[in-house]
Amino acid sequence: MTVEALKSFGANVDEGLRRCMNNEEFYLKMVAKAAQNDSFEKLEGAVKEGDLGAAFDAAHALKGVLANLALSPIHKPICEIVELLRGKTQMDYSPLVQKILEKRNELKAL
């Protein structure tokens, strides 16, 4: 994974680096850890089980991590699902979860 690859992915690398004290090695390490965050699987499982509370907790945890690292392509759909879950909106969340997981997989492949 490189800064250039993250820029191509759509991440706001300059912002993410600022939040990591402009330490590129640290930033890339944190991005790699974010891509492995088990909250993605928790979100998917909770949605499958219909546990909107657990889904909200997992999505909300991811929202903060992704925002701090300026990973916009994943952060945007996470924000969307967080607000829907906050309101306990009864709907099929699986397409949105799939989009989130697809973006996470793109990130992991960088």
Side-chain angles (χ1 to χ4, degrees):
M1 181 179 310
T2 65
V3 166
E4 292 76 26
L6 285 170
K7 285 181 180 178
S8 294
F9 175 66
N12 185 339
V13 172
D14 294 336
E15 182 181 330
L17 279 168
R18 269 194 308 276
R19 291 186 177 149
C20 290
M21 302 163 289
N22 290 314
N23 183 330
E24 186 175 315
E25 184 180 334
F26 179 68
Y27 176 65
L28 294 174
K29 181 180 176 181
M30 292 297 98
V31 169
K33 287 183 78 141
Q36 301 297 332
N37 193 311
D38 66 350
S39 289
F40 286 105
E41 284 72 29
K42 289 178 182 176
L43 172 61
E44 182 180 30
V47 164
K48 283 181 181 174
E49 294 171 13
D51 186 344
L52 299 185
F56 173 80
D57 290 343
H60 194 263
L62 287 168
K63 181 181 172 185
V65 169
L66 298 171
N68 282 328
L69 296 172
L71 298 173
S72 306
I74 309 174
H75 184 252
K76 288 177 184 174
I78 282 287
C79 286
E80 184 180 343
I81 202 168
V82 163
E83 292 313 311
L84 291 167
L85 289 165
R86 185 185 315 275
K88 296 182 175 48
T89 304
Q90 294 298 317
M91 61 176 277
D92 180 6
Y93 287 94
S94 54
L96 194 49
V97 170
Q98 274 311 116
K99 181 178 180 180
I100 291 164
L101 295 176
E102 286 170 13
K103 289 295 179 186
R104 189 272 306 257
N105 290 340
E106 284 179 37
L107 178 63
K108 286 172 76 172
L110 296 180

